[in-house]
Amino acid sequence: VNAIAPGAIDTDMMKMLSDDDLKAYLDEVPLGVIGSPKEVVLAVKYILDSNYLTGQVISPNGGVVI
């Protein structure tokens, strides 16, 4: 089993954050940006294209988890 565990991704779910909350979160993200849905799609594609990958958690998160 492989899994995708993304950080904050620019979706409707993020709209619940106030501007101040979003700024505070971005201050903790080394890349300083919210991820795009494309980042998650690319991670899914990577897993689907891999014949030898197993038991991994791929986490597109801008460096929050290092």
Side-chain angles (χ1 to χ4, degrees):
V1 172
N2 295 303
I4 309 254
I9 301 297
D10 188 15
T11 63
D12 288 344
M13 194 166 95
M14 294 298 295
K15 291 180 182 176
M16 66 181 215
L17 294 178
S18 69
D19 289 342
D20 289 338
D21 288 338
L22 182 58
K23 184 185 178 322
Y25 177 77
L26 289 175
D27 287 344
E28 302 298 318
V29 178
L31 291 183
V33 296
I34 296 293
S36 72
K38 183 178 179 181
E39 299 298 329
V40 178
V41 169
L42 290 172
V44 170
K45 185 177 181 323
Y46 177 74
I47 288 175
L48 291 174
D49 289 344
S50 299
N51 294 322
Y52 199 62
L53 185 70
T54 186
Q56 300 302 306
V57 177
I58 308 295
S59 184
N61 61 48
V64 171
V65 180
I66 296 179

